[in-house]
Amino acid sequence: MTRPLLFSLLILLSLACFVMNLTLGSVSIPAGEVARILFTRKSEETAWLFIIENIRLPKAITAVLVGWGLSVSGLQMQTLFRNPLAGPSELGITAGAGLGVAAVMLGSGSVTSLYAIRQLGVSGSWLIVFMASMGSALVLLMVLAIAGRVRDHVVLLIVGVMVGTITLSIISIWQYFSQPEQLQEYLLWTFGSLGGVVDNHLLVLAVVVILGLLLTFASSKALNTLLLGEAYARSMGLTVGQARTIILASTSILTGSITAFCGPIGFVGIAVPHLTRSLLGTSNHRVLIPASGLIGSILMLVCDSIAQLPGTQSVLPINVVTSLLGAPIVIWMIVSRHNLRASFS
Amino acid sequence: MNSTLLHTRELSIGYGSTRIAGSLSVQLKAGQLVCLLGPNGAGKSTLMRTLSGLQKPLSGEIYLGDQALAQIPPRELAQKLSLVLTDRVEAGHLTVGELVALGRTPYTNWLGSLTFDDHQKINWALKLTGTDAFIDRRLPQLSDGERQKVMLARALAQDTDLILLDEPTAHLDLPSRVELMRLLHELARQTQKAILLSTHELDLALQAADVLWLMGSGGKFEHGVPEDLVLNGSFERTFAASGFAFDRSTGTFQLYPNPTGPALRLGGDSPSLFWTRRALSREGYQLQEYAEHSVQVTDEGWLIDEQTFVTSIQTLLQELSNRYSYRKHA
């Protein structure tokens, strides 16, 4: 299949998933009606209009942003670490974002829960995004420093899990001194949720994710040269330190902002780039970045639709669904290790 | 005449406080193939890394033309000097064509888009190295020899006056090694590039190199035309230690420098003479001008002590062994 055809298919598929996501939920709304609401902003059923405009549309847009952001940051990390098992949640980067969020809560003096960030105003959400990104960057730098000493892919994964555990322990200590009702809300946050990111928050998330994606696109040439290793990249004129800083920055703000708003969402960042590479059979980041983003958003829209348990009144946490789908893919990747070696050194 | 593309002034190389070699003043000239030889651990890789700018010198200066290496911005440097390293590249989904195209990185825009000119340079590099035959194959599907050629093609696509190759012949079988050296030699001649390669292939280096750089242990460094270095004994000194000797008359290393077996006089002028000498040396016979016993080499076979005629080296060795009741290591 040629690439333009494949891309057209992916775009069509993601649009279809977007519409499907809007139709499904506790109340099923026909696709035709969804389209009418989207284009004319009118409907005979005012309840449907309300559900689409205020709940499902923001949630679907969030799903697309999360899918793009996590997949692309996972892709960048895999190339930067030269390790196909790198990913935002696997290397503890999302835990770092959680720490940043927790720091805001502690520092502000108002001992509210992480979940309460949505109650903060726009300036508050900027602060949260900034701190979550700094938390991500901190963990990312730590893991990167350790990665220099570790050659084995799986060992790095274990190191990442350990760093994540340390970070989560720090959060737990804080939790220990918190009120029970706040704990409950924190637990809800750890399940992850695409819902509730509306209005100004959605705007902030969109701006930050798009900024992160633009930085990634700008690094695509650097990422391609880094495929050959750092020495070759330097010999081909890449200022490695500078390129690495930009890649770290975009990974941190993508992971940080998404985690701050939606909670830790696992396995999308590690599984999607791998799927994309096998599907397209290329390592060229100019192709991989948009393709991973599209596949990531399709996956998030599908996961969210499943999480809504269509036709019922209950909703599954999004992290549960992505883990159920993503973890087997990671296990399959580790089992077929020759495949790993072939991708990276 | 040949212009000097790279030269060093009082260059010291090493890591941190460890000085590996000092006061190096060397040059690379256009159209020359230079081979860097030396025992393991002499610091060949450190010198290569320092000359390519991957590592800072301890002191002294490296000049590309009249510009100091340290002053050249990375992108500009990448347009003057390219590298082939020993690091094994494992980017599994890259095709040969894509990998070679990466060589154009220093010339492309921020997105890495290839122009017509870029494509021409890539095709030229692919064709010259013979890698155009498997342009769509992926790295894991290549043999070590093919892989090495692909990495060379990438360096060629980078279109630099200087190419530095760190042990490009390692992991290659003999035909691939010979072919690679021949290719590099021709390349230097035809394109007036300066090519520096480090290698352990003494024979090949002696044959192909225009200039040899010898790095001995303890920071000894000598350079010159290969034949001069052989004749003035530099070659022997560089590789002295290890209990084998360099034979100046044949340009080869002798594995058995002190024969202890019976003395033999070897005569004749058949082409088999060379191989007969090798076999006898291996068995420990002392080959002398005047000796009681003799082996005469003819086109048909071997005549021992002007009595016995044999037709293979195996029977020759057997016969000699029986005759003088001599056994190696006995």
Side-chain angles (χ1 to χ4, degrees):
Chain A
M1 204 181 323
T2 61
R3 290 217 174 116
L5 184 62
L6 196 78
F7 269 105
S8 323
L9 264 177
L10 285 176
I11 290 168
L12 280 179
L13 195 59
S14 65
L15 285 176
C17 287
F18 192 83
V19 173
M20 179 200 72
N21 185 274
L22 291 177
T23 63
L24 296 174
S26 53
V27 182
S28 186
I29 304 173
E33 196 61 27
V34 167
R36 214 168 101 199
I37 293 170
L38 285 182
F39 290 113
T40 65
R41 308 198 64 176
K42 281 194 194 82
S43 176
E44 273 119 56
E45 293 262 2
T46 43
W48 285 1
L49 184 66
F50 180 83
I51 289 174
I52 295 287
E53 283 199 336
N54 292 301
I55 300 171
R56 290 197 191 166
L57 191 59
K59 187 165 59 65
I61 293 173
T62 308
V64 170
L65 290 172
V66 168
W68 269 84
L70 288 182
S71 311
V72 165
S73 74
L75 173 67
Q76 290 195 97
M77 287 176 68
Q78 294 179 2
T79 303
L80 186 65
F81 285 98
R82 296 166 62 67
N83 187 334
L85 292 179
S89 54
E90 289 67 28
L91 295 189
I93 316 301
T94 46
L99 184 66
V101 174
V104 174
M105 297 302 173
L106 280 175
S108 68
S110 61
V111 190
T112 47
S113 69
L114 295 168
Y115 200 65
I117 59 160
R118 290 179 193 143
Q119 266 70 62
L120 292 171
V122 174
S123 59
S125 61
W126 279 113
L127 180 67
I128 297 274
V129 166
F130 174 76
M131 288 305 287
S133 303
M134 291 309 284
S136 306
L138 184 76
V139 173
L140 199 47
L141 282 173
M142 261 162 66
V143 177
L144 199 63
I146 298 168
R149 298 161 173 271
V150 177
R151 282 268 153 255
D152 192 276
H153 296 320
V154 179
V155 172
L156 184 72
L157 188 66
I158 295 167
V159 168
V161 171
M162 289 302 125
V163 172
T165 310
I166 294 169
T167 317
L168 289 175
S169 308
I170 297 170
I171 300 173
S172 300
I173 294 171
W174 168 61
Q175 276 185 281
Y176 185 76
F177 296 103
S178 307
Q179 304 302 315
E181 57 269 27
Q182 292 165 346
L183 281 185
Q184 191 196 353
E185 289 190 343
Y186 173 76
L187 280 174
L188 279 176
W189 179 81
T190 59
F191 284 137
S193 166
L194 298 176
V197 186
V198 288
D199 301 336
N200 285 328
H201 295 306
L202 184 58
L203 188 70
V204 170
L205 181 65
V207 167
V208 175
V209 168
I210 289 170
L211 179 75
L213 290 175
L214 286 178
L215 278 180
T216 311
F217 275 119
S219 324
S220 57
K221 182 178 164 183
L223 287 164
N224 278 342
T225 48
L226 280 171
L227 282 175
L228 301 191
E230 225 172 83
Y232 271 122
R234 278 176 71 181
S235 87
M236 289 188 284
L238 184 73
T239 318
V240 173
Q242 189 193 334
R244 189 182 258 179
T245 309
I246 295 173
I247 294 166
L248 278 175
S250 63
T251 306
S252 302
I253 66 172
L254 284 172
T255 309
S257 59
I258 289 168
T259 310
F261 282 111
C262 307
I265 296 174
F267 296 103
V268 177
I270 186 174
V272 171
H274 194 77
L275 280 179
T276 312
R277 264 193 294 267
S278 339
L279 190 67
L280 273 74
T282 181
S283 294
N284 184 354
H285 288 80
R286 281 175 73 182
V287 179
L288 278 183
I289 292 170
S292 295
L294 284 170
I295 292 175
S297 62
I298 291 168
L299 193 77
M300 281 310 293
L301 287 166
V302 170
C303 283
D304 181 59
S305 302
I306 296 171
Q308 298 306 313
L309 296 173
T312 70
Q313 292 303 310
S314 28
V315 175
L316 284 178
I318 188 73
N319 196 17
V320 172
V321 183
T322 58
S323 301
L324 279 176
L325 282 180
I329 297 178
V330 176
I331 293 171
W332 164 65
M333 280 162 62
I334 294 176
V335 170
S336 57
R337 269 199 85 161
H338 60 279
N339 211 338
L340 291 187
R341 293 250 170 258
S343 304
F344 294 90
S345 72
Chain B
M1 258 319 281
N2 290 348
S3 57
T4 302
L5 296 177
L6 177 146
H7 68 280
T8 67
R9 208 170 281 166
E10 291 297 311
L11 181 72
S12 297
I13 58 166
Y15 289 93
S17 56
T18 320
R19 200 171 109 130
I20 292 175
S23 305
L24 303 179
S25 294
V26 291
Q27 339 183 296
L28 290 174
K29 289 184 172 174
Q32 276 188 344
L33 175 66
V34 178
C35 288
L36 172 59
L37 295 170
N40 281 332
K44 296 192 297 291
S45 282
T46 310
L47 180 59
M48 300 290 279
R49 289 176 58 86
T50 311
L51 289 181
S52 60
L54 287 181
Q55 189 178 333
K56 283 197 165 55
L58 294 183
S59 66
E61 285 287 347
I62 302 163
Y63 293 92
L64 291 190
D66 48 10
Q67 255 180 310
L69 180 82
Q71 310 296 321
I72 305 175
R75 193 180 159 100
E76 211 176 296
L77 178 63
Q79 297 178 4
K80 293 168 186 283
L81 189 151
S82 56
L83 283 178
V84 176
L85 300 161
T86 36
D87 314 18
R88 198 177 162 90
V89 167
E90 307 270 4
H93 290 290
L94 276 186
T95 62
V96 168
E98 283 174 324
L99 197 150
V100 174
L102 279 179
R104 296 306 292 169
T105 303
Y107 303 93
T108 54
N109 63 7
W110 67 281
L111 266 176
S113 314
L114 298 172
T115 63
F116 178 72
D117 189 46
D118 290 326
H119 280 295
Q120 276 194 320
K121 283 274 168 8
I122 293 163
N123 289 336
W124 169 77
L126 286 165
K127 198 161 248 155
L128 199 70
T129 49
T131 46
D132 53 343
F134 40 86
I135 185 166
D136 288 323
R137 295 239 297 269
R138 295 174 202 288
L139 287 191
Q141 300 166 302
L142 301 180
S143 72
D144 287 335
E146 290 167 337
R147 211 174 245 269
Q148 200 58 262
K149 276 199 242 169
V150 170
M151 293 318 288
L152 176 65
R154 190 207 54 82
L156 288 178
Q158 208 173 324
D159 193 25
T160 55
D161 285 341
L162 283 156
I163 305 178
L164 272 55
L165 305 98
D166 197 4
E167 295 196 23
T169 52
H171 314 300
L172 299 190
D173 58 14
L174 187 64
S176 312
R177 283 191 295 229
V178 174
E179 198 190 332
L180 187 71
M181 287 295 245
R182 189 189 51 78
L183 180 65
L184 290 172
H185 187 84
E186 275 175 16
L187 200 66
R189 281 291 139 81
Q190 287 168 8
T191 60
Q192 288 298 299
K193 291 178 189 296
I195 300 177
L196 170 66
L197 68 103
S198 67
T199 180
H200 286 289
E201 296 299 319
L202 304 177
D203 296 359
L204 278 174
L206 276 172
Q207 288 182 56
D210 296 303
V211 172
L212 282 186
W213 293 2
L214 296 177
M215 268 188 113
S217 44
K220 279 180 297 222
F221 186 90
E222 290 180 87
H223 58 102
V225 174
E227 292 74 17
D228 277 338
L229 293 176
V230 169
L231 292 175
N232 70 20
S234 303
F235 219 81
E236 279 168 79
R237 279 196 300 279
T238 305
F239 294 95
S242 353
F244 56 86
F246 184 74
D247 186 342
R248 233 181 269 184
S249 57
T250 58
T252 54
F253 278 88
Q254 290 187 324
L255 271 71
Y256 317 101
N258 303 308
T260 51
L264 280 179
R265 175 164 46 86
L266 192 60
D269 53 4
S270 152
S272 352
L273 184 65
F274 172 78
W275 295 104
T276 312
R277 182 179 286 126
R278 292 247 305 220
L280 293 175
S281 306
R282 183 173 67 239
E283 289 301 309
Y285 292 99
Q286 304 183 45
L287 303 179
Q288 298 171 350
E289 294 256 348
Y290 303 99
E292 191 184 341
H293 302 292
S294 75
V295 172
Q296 192 68 25
V297 186
T298 70
D299 285 338
E300 287 79 33
W302 291 263
L303 190 61
I304 304 169
D305 286 343
E306 291 166 13
Q307 295 164 3
T308 320
F309 189 79
V310 294
T311 53
S312 78
I313 290 187
Q314 186 178 359
T315 43
L316 169 71
L317 295 178
Q318 200 105 52
E319 184 63 31
L320 288 174
S321 170
N322 293 341
R323 201 171 269 253
Y324 312 128
S325 6
Y326 166 71
R327 259 179 196 290
K328 199 181 161 196
H329 308 304

